[in-house]
Amino acid sequence: MRRHLTGRYLLAWIVLAVVLLVYLFPIYWLIATALKSRAEIFASDPTLIPQAPSLAPFQSVLFDRNMIVLLRNSILVCGATTLLALAIGFIVCYPITRLQMSRRVRTNVLNWALSLRFLPPIAVVVPYFGIVRGLGLYDQPLALILAYTLFNLPFSIWMLKGFLAEIPRELEEAAFVDGANRWTAFRTILLPLATPGILAAGIIIFAFAWSEFLFALILTATPRGQTFPVGVQGLVTQFEIIWNDMAAAGVIAILIPLAMVILARRYVIQGLTFGVIREK
Amino acid sequence: MRVSRWLAVITAVLIVGACQSGTGASPSAPASVVAPSAVESAGGTVPSEASPGEASPSEAVPSAVASEASAAATTGAQPSQLTIAAVQGVESIGLKAVAPDYEAKTGVALEIVELPYPQLYEKLVQTFQANDSAYDLVMLDDPWMPKFGTDGSLQPLEPLGIEKDPDIAPVIYEVGTWPPPRGPVPPSEVDKPQELLGITIVGNVEMFVYRSDLTPSAPATWDDVLTNGQAQNKEDFPGYVIRGAATNPVVADFLPILWSFGGDVFDENWNVVIDNEASMTAVNFLVNDLKSIAQGDPSNTDAADRSRLIAVGEAYQSTTWPGEITGTIESADSTVKGKVSYIPIPAGPSGKGIGMMGNWLLAVPKASQNGQAAADFIKWMTDPATQKTYAEKGGIPSRTSILEDATLGEANPYFEALADSFASVPNWRPRTDQWNAVETALGTHLNAILAGTEEPEAGIKAAAEEIRGIMQAAGYPTQ
């Protein structure tokens, strides 16, 4: 029996190790490439470990190519998108989950939100471009914030709806009995309890917005509005693919969402497992 | 309570920050932009016109206003900043290198917005169609001139004071003129007056590179290319590198061979001749003779792979662009510096070697609100002193005296071949706004032939039929 169990564990470890390798090797390769010199990348036989590791590609991407401006734009756009999508999501979800409402209205609102998710971005990018130009928002981060908010709203609504529905109404009702009004109960009871869910939804919305490329390419023209992914694709030029700079940009692009997940991992896990065990 | 307050504060900060960043008023503007205050302290004068923030491209100019803006362009009003759309890569290195000099001299800051090759074209089409004033100057690849010339997207430069200079080869002005001064003219353009719409800032002509340390005498003909290549061809050291990736790359690689063999895509009346006898001889030379000494799988090779092979000493010879030379073959990481030589395209059975132009031009969009200032910048860019600095800092010049300068030639061993290429009048790609579609059709079949999935004759016949269809549908008298 013990031998059988040991064999199964060993097999499981081998499978996990292979899966880990498959997932981690591209990330390792990205980091290794980002540390290599151009001469090393030119060589016919690729090296697994950088021979003379250097941070020069990071310096080149952020400062020589001035992509730090695009990074700043990305952080602003994604941060504002996340907060706006969560705020609107709350406005939609609060009445659905906390107030008396007909089932038909509730279902229609949720279905409408879901229908937005099925809208292919490519189908609306041209009319959206016309609207943005008409509003004088072309090449402004605000245009991207509005577009990203719209496309992430279904996600925000459906996730928040799930989290809010899990918080017992009795807690708020107890606050009402103690004299709290609806706003006070929302601030002091509902919002703190929903924090793990908000963080989980926020990080996922941020990650979606962070990697968006199509709208950022179409709706911006200069570094005033461009985001980081638009800059990264510029490293494939007509006569050269600047591999080490591109890999450095990839590492930078990974770092920010990764740091967010690591810093808030407790809340993310708590949020994603929120309501897994339901007591009836 | 704390959570909601923090959320509100962070939301406000991010949205206000994003909006401010959109107005261009942010202090951390792109590095290529010199703030007027910095210029002032450097001894320049700061015009009192709009601030950089006010020059935001977001203030889209309605089409009716654009023509007024065009007219206002000749008033000589000095803006504080010019925005230039440039191609990302070695082609814009020289421009970026001399930009601070202009800013110091005039106080006009230059914002250089770099975009990769395909995205630059798409962005220009989109911006011109929207009549948007986002860019005051644009870099154009010369095959784009038919599209933008036909659409009337650019301002004529001669009324803005740009004059032809005898030190610049006539073909360089011709490639920036629309309708084209020679060769077939699109039917819709025949009655239009010729106007100079673009000035070359990157003198790009396809040339030929070979390992002169292995074969001291340069190949004079394509037969010599084949003979030398066969002699040098070894495993892991191909005798010739074909840039055979689908669409633009393989067509750009093939056209100089086609022309040197007496073939062409169109005749003078827009009839398709890519499937005639001379053209088929050129096709067979590429896909049979040259392929027999080429690298493995040439159908997947693009310029970056080709120049890398030459630069690391793993290939013998190929056609090449100045951008590949400055960016890779003559770069600090190259192992063949001093071991390679550059010559114009070798002669074919026609008796001539015909290079292909891929000049990068500077042009002023119709919607630019700063046409005169943009033209002033072009004049400064092409004057002899700037061109010398430009060449010293890695730019690819087109002025004859600069290309023939012995000191500059020592540092840039391709200058002499480039000057000779301009002097022998290189060809441009057919001047039609249908060229992109034609190139895609031809480049798809040529690539399939190189990959071995189509037979040469059948593939070229199919390409010819597709090209006839494209041209006839666009109203050309093509047969």
Side-chain angles (χ1 to χ4, degrees):
Chain A
M1 181 69 183
R2 189 181 170 80
R3 182 175 295 172
H4 178 65
L5 268 179
T6 311
R8 279 174 61 184
Y9 273 121
L10 190 66
L11 187 68
W13 274 107
I14 291 169
V15 170
L16 281 175
V18 170
V19 170
L20 200 67
L21 191 71
V22 168
Y23 275 91
L24 288 187
F25 185 75
I27 295 172
Y28 167 74
W29 192 248
L30 189 76
I31 296 167
T33 306
L35 297 172
K36 287 179 184 174
S37 67
R38 191 175 182 232
E40 197 174 341
I41 289 170
F42 264 13
S44 300
D45 300 321
T47 49
L48 193 62
I49 298 164
Q51 302 301 295
S54 160
L55 293 175
F58 291 90
Q59 153 103 14
S60 163
V61 164
L62 287 177
F63 303 108
D64 301 348
R65 298 180 189 281
N66 209 30
M67 280 171 65
I68 195 158
V69 174
L70 310 190
L71 192 66
R72 182 205 62 184
N73 288 348
S74 271
I75 293 168
L76 280 172
V77 166
C78 298
T81 297
T82 305
L83 294 175
L84 209 54
L86 288 174
I88 298 173
F90 255 111
I91 291 169
V92 174
C93 289
Y94 187 83
I96 288 175
T97 55
R98 319 311 288 183
L99 303 180
Q100 292 296 331
M101 199 179 235
S102 83
R103 187 185 174 84
R104 210 179 61 145
V105 172
R106 189 184 306 153
T107 312
N108 283 346
V109 169
L110 290 172
N111 284 347
W112 164 77
L114 199 61
S115 71
L116 287 178
R117 193 72 199 162
F118 288 108
L119 194 67
I122 191 76
V124 292
V125 71
V126 172
Y128 199 89
F129 170 70
I131 294 167
V132 161
R133 269 199 64 244
L135 293 173
L137 293 176
Y138 180 63
D139 199 32
Q140 292 212 36
L142 192 56
L144 295 181
I145 293 170
L146 296 176
Y148 293 178
T149 301
L150 184 72
F151 280 98
N152 282 298
L153 202 53
F155 191 80
S156 167
I157 290 173
W158 275 85
M159 263 191 105
L160 289 178
K161 185 241 164 202
F163 293 127
L164 294 184
E166 294 297 326
I167 299 171
R169 284 191 193 191
E170 289 80 359
L171 293 174
E172 277 174 289
E173 283 163 7
F176 295 150
V177 170
D178 288 343
N181 60 20
R182 198 163 275 285
W183 172 241
T184 308
F186 172 76
R187 274 190 303 120
T188 56
I189 307 290
L190 197 65
L191 211 51
L193 285 172
T195 302
I198 295 169
L199 280 173
I203 285 172
I204 294 168
I205 291 168
F206 188 95
F208 280 158
W210 186 257
S211 52
E212 202 286 332
F213 174 73
L214 180 69
F215 277 83
L217 180 70
I218 301 290
L219 300 181
T220 62
T222 70
R224 277 187 289 272
Q226 286 170 337
T227 54
F228 202 64
V230 178
V232 174
Q233 54 109 38
L235 298 169
V236 180
T237 72
Q238 197 184 5
F239 294 127
E240 191 186 0
I241 302 169
I242 309 158
W243 290 108
N244 48 356
D245 281 16
M246 201 156 49
V251 171
I252 295 164
I254 287 174
L255 279 181
I256 288 173
L258 189 70
M260 288 175 68
V261 171
I262 290 171
L263 287 175
R265 65 186 182 282
R266 190 160 63 89
Y267 294 105
V268 173
I269 293 167
Q270 208 179 327
L272 292 175
T273 54
F274 199 74
V276 168
I277 300 163
R278 170 180 283 198
E279 287 180 21
K280 282 283 174 188
Chain B
M1 176 159 168
R2 251 186 285 163
V3 173
S4 63
R5 276 190 188 168
W6 274 111
L7 282 176
V9 170
I10 294 170
T11 308
V13 167
L14 284 172
I15 292 177
V16 169
C19 295
Q20 276 187 340
S21 138
T23 62
S26 164
S28 50
S32 57
V33 179
V34 172
S37 57
V39 174
E40 201 166 29
S41 64
T45 53
V46 183
S48 57
E49 288 284 314
S51 72
E54 288 166 341
S56 167
S58 62
E59 296 159 12
V61 180
S63 48
V65 181
S67 54
E68 288 172 30
S70 224
T74 55
T75 61
Q78 187 84 315
S80 58
Q81 179 176 301
L82 292 172
T83 302
I84 306 176
V87 68
Q88 191 138 28
V90 289
E91 299 90 338
S92 59
I93 282 177
L95 175 66
K96 286 189 288 183
V98 298
D101 298 347
Y102 189 70
E103 292 159 10
K105 182 173 184 280
T106 64
V108 178
L110 298 173
E111 182 187 34
I112 299 170
V113 180
E114 293 178 88
L115 292 157
Y117 184 83
Q119 279 76 27
L120 177 63
Y121 178 74
E122 287 160 16
K123 188 59 76 182
L124 295 187
V125 170
Q126 180 190 320
T127 308
F128 293 162
Q129 284 180 352
N131 211 11
D132 196 275
S133 60
Y135 306 121
D136 297 306
L137 283 150
V138 293
M139 270 180 83
L140 306 179
D141 193 7
D142 78 57
W144 303 347
M145 180 56 80
K147 165 73 180 160
F148 299 136
T150 303
D151 291 353
S153 307
L154 306 171
Q155 293 188 32
L157 296 175
E158 282 170 311
L160 296 175
I162 295 207
E163 294 169 358
K164 293 177 181 170
D165 186 325
D167 190 29
I168 295 175
V171 71
I172 291 172
Y173 290 112
E174 288 170 6
V175 78
T177 300
W178 189 259
R182 59 185 168 84
V185 176
S188 67
E189 306 301 292
V190 170
D191 296 328
K192 285 187 182 173
Q194 287 177 4
E195 291 176 314
L196 182 64
L197 301 177
I199 293 290
T200 293
I201 60 158
V202 178
N204 220 20
V205 180
E206 200 163 4
M207 298 181 291
F208 196 86
V209 58
Y210 70 102
R211 286 287 295 274
S212 48
D213 59 329
L214 302 175
T215 314
S217 61
T221 66
W222 281 102
D223 283 341
D224 295 343
V225 169
L226 185 62
T227 307
N228 293 350
Q230 285 166 336
Q232 296 295 331
N233 189 41
K234 300 178 195 76
E235 198 181 350
D236 299 330
F237 188 78
Y240 187 84
V241 188
I242 297 175
R243 182 189 177 199
T247 65
N248 169 282
V250 69
V251 173
D253 204 46
F254 173 61
L255 286 181
I257 300 173
L258 177 72
W259 293 327
S260 304
F261 274 68
D264 212 330
V265 181
F266 300 107
D267 68 8
E268 286 290 313
N269 301 308
W270 293 109
N271 295 313
V272 175
V273 293
I274 188 65
D275 51 352
N276 71 12
E277 194 181 337
S279 298
M280 279 310 301
T281 308
V283 171
N284 283 316
F285 182 75
L286 175 77
V287 302
N288 293 327
D289 299 335
L290 289 179
K291 190 186 169 187
S292 70
I293 54 167
Q295 77 282 16
D297 198 11
S299 61
N300 277 324
T301 302
D302 202 351
D305 315 303
R306 168 172 74 179
S307 46
R308 188 194 69 84
L309 283 172
I310 299 282
V312 297
E314 293 182 3
Y316 172 64
Q317 59 184 351
S318 186
T319 55
T320 191
W321 288 98
E324 291 176 79
I325 299 168
T326 56
T328 307
I329 302 173
E330 293 291 332
S331 74
D333 301 312
S334 171
T335 61
V336 297
K337 284 177 84 168
K339 297 178 181 175
V340 291
S341 293
Y342 306 95
I343 55 170
I345 293 291
S350 70
K352 290 187 290 186
I354 301 175
M356 183 170 79
M357 271 191 288
N359 281 12
W360 282 92
L361 316 168
L362 263 186
V364 183
K366 208 98 183 179
S368 168
Q369 293 174 297
N370 302 309
Q372 185 59 59
D376 291 345
F377 174 72
I378 294 176
K379 273 187 268 182
W380 178 84
M381 262 300 288
T382 50
D383 82 31
T386 311
Q387 282 285 295
K388 186 161 190 189
T389 312
Y390 176 76
E392 285 166 351
K393 293 185 174 179
I396 301 165
S398 53
R399 189 172 270 280
T400 309
S401 58
I402 300 293
L403 290 171
E404 291 177 347
D405 183 304
T407 315
L408 289 172
E410 265 179 47
N412 300 278
Y414 68 96
F415 272 17
E416 190 184 340
L418 185 57
D420 291 347
S421 297
F422 276 126
S424 60
V425 189
N427 266 1
W428 47 56
R429 279 160 268 201
R431 307 254 97 183
T432 163
D433 61 355
Q434 299 302 307
W435 177 247
N436 268 0
V438 170
E439 186 179 65
T440 301
L442 179 58
T444 303
H445 287 286
L446 271 176
N447 175 262
I449 296 166
L450 271 175
T453 56
E454 283 183 17
E455 289 300 317
E457 191 154 352
I460 291 300
K461 291 275 179 214
E465 275 313 302
E466 282 176 35
I467 295 167
R468 282 189 189 99
I470 292 163
M471 300 304 282
Q472 286 166 356
Y476 284 73
T478 301
Q479 296 300 318

